[in-house]
Amino acid sequence: MTGSTDQVNALLPEKITKICCIGAGYVGGPTCTVLAQQCPDLVVTIVDVNPQRIAAWNSENLSELPVFEPGLSSIVGECRGRNLFFTTEIDRAIDEAQIVFVSVNTPTKTSGIGSGFAADLRYVEASTRRIASIASTPKIIVEKSTVPCRTAATMRAILEANSKPGISFQILSNPEFLSEGTAVQDLLNPDRVLIGSLATEQGNRAAELLSEVYERWVPKDRVLRTGLWSSELTKLKAANALLAQRISSINAISAICEATGANVDEVAHACGVDRRIGPHFLRASVGFGGSCFQKDILNLVYLSGSLNLPEVAEYWRQVIVMNEFSKARFAKKVVQTLFNTVTAKRLALLGFAFKKDTGDTRESPAITLCRHFRQEGAHIAIYDPKVPHSQILMDLTEPGVADDRKNIEESITICSNIQEACRDAEAVVIATDWDEFCAIDWHDIYQIMRKPAVVFDGRRVVDPRQLREIGFRVHAVGIGPELQDNVWV
Ligand code: UDX
Ligand code: ADP
């Protein structure tokens, strides 16, 4: 499409002074908080349909924010009420803004076509309809949520069919690559900011306007510009799928290490020093969790299937199969080691979040472990430094995990510290890599446990030799039998 500069500008906001973010979750909250801090001249308003979530973002007590991220609460404290606002007044915030970020959730569909694989876009669609019906000035709409390739086309169709006469929209894809637990650092110092736009004059100009916002703190050469579909595909499929694939690969190797006497840390290090491979994301674990990896790969499997590429679909599906295998294998190891039964035995589960430094439990491996242990009749004493007790209960009573809330309350105890969880336990199971678990006084813990006391390390946070000297039996993921324990494995 061509046109004079004036024509192009008439279809775009003149100047960016206000940004609205729809969705005050793990992506929208931290992203737009950092944006507000870095752009004090812009007004950033984060809106959500959930009034409790907004109230929590507005809590006087900054330790009660709904998302825990190291360093986040102080930035909220610095900017809130100055140029950062959290509100349920969605319509006003949308209409006043020139740029609207869409950061709503895109869970996996649980029924209908693509159930269990495809992304459920109902929240993206609802927010897009709302933008269309409200907007009285041109706007740049930015997809921040992880969405399937060509979602921008759906958004465009909705906007064009429902907007007020003469109001135009430009849609950009600007996916977020932050990792939970390091979100603030990732946002302040990103490897790249990806902006996908249509190759039209308006599309390019809209991308420039968004780029100018980021360039206030991100070096220009780290702002990558691509087409819309490449940007959507990079985030959802390629980047997350490649990262998850690395973890499943090292976890597959860890199973071989355990069976052969090798040490997965040594193998990962020796592989990672090869510059073509690199050292990151090669930490063997009980399995990966989090809201993105599984969802995105399922989506990739669905996309490949619907493009009539069954071999490609099957290839990526194996990343999930391996992750499920890793979790099940670890749970089985616990049962086998405890003399083939954990019925009525107390297991201390340390860590419930899907990784350290977050209170997020979505797809946490700890949930799967609890399901396995409960099926075996164990009593589980759970401790996590950040996850609220109510969240743990909610996760463990989800359909598919357990259906009987009363029974679950009898078979689990949620504890407030490590000692409480470990007292009278037959075994400690480490499911999250919290720093606190690297500094446990194991002499103390040994005294209060039943004997033989066993530690199952699903995150490689303990030193097996040191624990063995105290008297523990130890199983650490990815460490072979001779290294685990000569006597009893
Ligand atoms: C991921 C992507 O990293 C991020 O770019 C994207 O925006 C969102 O999805 P996140 O899910 O927050 O981020 O956490 P990440 O650090 O990727 O970890 C995901 C899971 O993999 C966690 O359960 C983590 O413990 C596990 N993991 C990670 C491993 O088991 N081994 C590793 O080496 C790295
Ligand atoms: P993510 O990890 O992608 O940020 P979250 O579930 O943490 O996902 O956050 C998404 C947020 O989006 C939730 O707080 C939810 O209430 C909000 N949300 C969903 N749909 C809408 C909507 N139509 N308008 C405003 N907020 C919405």
Side-chain angles (χ1 to χ4, degrees):
M1 217 188 283
T2 55
S4 72
T5 312
D6 284 353
Q7 279 171 324
V8 170
N9 288 342
L11 298 169
L12 287 163
E14 279 172 25
K15 188 165 182 265
I16 308 301
T17 57
K18 291 190 175 175
I19 291 180
C20 167
C21 172
I22 307 180
Y26 286 92
V27 173
T31 306
C32 287
T33 297
V34 168
L35 197 136
Q37 187 202 36
Q38 297 301 315
C39 308
D41 56 317
L42 299 182
V43 174
V44 179
T45 306
I46 306 180
V47 299
D48 203 291
V49 281
N50 180 339
Q52 286 90 16
R53 198 160 240 201
I54 290 298
W57 279 110
N58 282 323
S59 311
E60 291 263 318
N61 182 346
L62 287 170
S63 67
E64 287 171 8
L65 299 183
V67 170
F68 168 73
E69 278 293 340
L72 180 65
S73 58
S74 65
I75 306 181
V76 172
E78 174 191 335
C79 304
R80 200 175 58 188
R82 180 190 76 187
N83 67 327
L84 174 66
F85 301 91
F86 296 92
T87 175
T88 50
E89 282 189 58
I90 300 177
D91 294 350
R92 198 173 76 186
I94 290 175
D95 199 27
E96 286 180 354
Q98 296 90 25
I99 295 183
V100 180
F101 287 107
V102 178
S103 279
V104 299
N105 36 333
T106 50
T108 305
K109 280 183 81 170
T110 52
S111 62
I113 300 168
S115 174
F117 289 91
D120 182 347
L121 289 179
R122 78 175 87 166
Y123 306 108
V124 172
E125 181 171 338
S127 355
T128 312
R129 286 185 185 279
R130 195 151 186 172
I131 296 168
S133 67
I134 294 305
S136 59
T137 50
K139 297 199 189 301
I140 298 171
I141 314 299
V142 182
E143 289 175 351
K144 265 273 167 217
S145 316
T146 306
V147 291
C149 196
R150 299 198 74 89
T151 301
T154 310
M155 292 171 81
R156 167 169 295 275
I158 294 171
L159 289 168
E160 283 178 353
N162 295 284
S163 57
K164 299 195 172 102
I167 302 302
S168 66
F169 299 96
Q170 285 304 312
I171 301 175
L172 300 176
S173 162
N174 172 222
E176 188 43 68
F177 293 99
L178 66 80
S179 282
E180 288 178 34
T182 53
V184 171
Q185 280 320 309
D186 294 344
L187 288 161
L188 286 173
N189 188 22
D191 287 345
R192 80 305 211 179
V193 169
L194 184 59
I195 300 179
S197 62
L198 280 185
T200 60
E201 282 179 76
Q202 292 97 321
N204 282 329
R205 179 66 194 131
E208 269 167 31
L209 284 167
L210 182 61
S211 181
E212 281 164 19
V213 171
Y214 282 108
E215 282 166 35
R216 294 158 192 232
W217 80 98
V218 179
K220 195 178 169 75
D221 61 358
R222 289 204 215 154
V223 181
L224 306 186
R225 298 267 307 274
T226 66
L228 260 181
W229 320 133
S230 302
S231 169
E232 288 181 340
L233 191 66
T234 303
K235 159 67 179 166
L236 172 59
K237 325 284 191 226
N240 283 348
L242 289 172
L243 290 170
Q245 183 204 36
R246 271 173 84 94
I247 302 169
S248 273
S249 298
I250 198 69
N251 284 342
I253 302 286
S254 81
I256 298 176
C257 288
E258 286 174 33
T260 56
N263 178 334
V264 76
D265 293 342
E266 292 174 354
V267 175
H269 177 71
C271 291
V273 289
D274 183 328
R275 270 172 298 160
R276 294 168 303 175
I277 298 171
H280 303 293
F281 266 70
L282 285 179
R283 236 177 33 252
S285 66
V286 55
F288 61 73
S291 70
C292 287
F293 285 174
Q294 170 151 324
K295 181 182 78 171
D296 292 353
I297 290 184
L298 289 173
N299 218 273
L300 179 56
V301 170
Y302 183 68
L303 177 77
S304 310
S306 53
L307 295 173
N308 198 21
L309 297 167
E311 291 81 2
V312 178
E314 188 49 29
Y315 174 79
W316 287 110
R317 205 176 64 79
Q318 286 303 316
V319 174
I320 300 289
V321 170
M322 183 51 61
N323 198 44
E324 290 305 315
F325 171 72
S326 300
K327 292 182 280 183
R329 194 173 69 83
F330 187 75
K332 194 168 160 194
K333 186 78 194 177
V334 173
V335 177
Q336 281 175 342
T337 306
L338 296 176
F339 314 111
N340 286 315
T341 176
V342 291
T343 307
K345 289 181 180 168
R346 182 177 169 104
L347 305 180
L349 183 78
L350 299 189
F352 201 80
F354 81 96
K355 63 187 275 197
K356 72 171 179 178
D357 290 340
T358 176
D360 194 354
T361 60
R362 288 176 293 178
E363 304 295 342
S364 177
I367 300 174
T368 315
L369 293 181
C370 284
R371 177 163 52 77
H372 283 292
F373 296 152
R374 288 195 63 247
Q375 279 165 357
E376 297 286 337
H379 185 94
I380 315 164
I382 303 170
Y383 167 70
D384 187 282
K386 272 290 165 221
V387 180
H389 292 191
S390 56
Q391 181 65 47
I392 296 177
L393 262 186
M394 203 158 79
D395 288 330
L396 295 182
T397 45
E398 284 283 303
V401 182
D403 298 320
D404 176 357
R405 190 172 174 113
K406 181 167 172 289
N407 187 1
I408 196 117
E409 282 167 358
E410 283 163 9
S411 63
I412 64 163
T413 307
I414 304 175
C415 305
S416 303
N417 56 54
I418 296 172
Q419 281 75 10
E420 188 189 341
C422 295
R423 189 170 301 282
D424 296 327
E426 313 258 345
V428 175
V429 178
I430 301 173
T432 311
D433 51 342
W434 283 104
D435 289 346
E436 185 176 335
F437 302 158
C438 304
I440 293 176
D441 181 343
W442 288 105
H443 287 278
D444 238 30
I445 299 297
Y446 188 71
Q447 300 308 323
I448 59 176
M449 285 179 66
R450 289 169 64 105
K451 311 296 178 317
V454 193
V455 172
F456 297 92
D457 182 2
R459 293 293 186 166
R460 306 288 298 106
V461 297
V462 303
D463 176 352
R465 281 171 218 276
Q466 194 198 355
L467 264 65
R468 233 167 261 134
E469 276 167 24
I470 296 173
F472 282 103
R473 294 174 165 189
V474 185
H475 169 79
V477 76
I479 307 290
E482 302 91 274
L483 302 169
Q484 294 278 4
D485 192 320
N486 292 329
V487 187
W488 58 279
V489 174

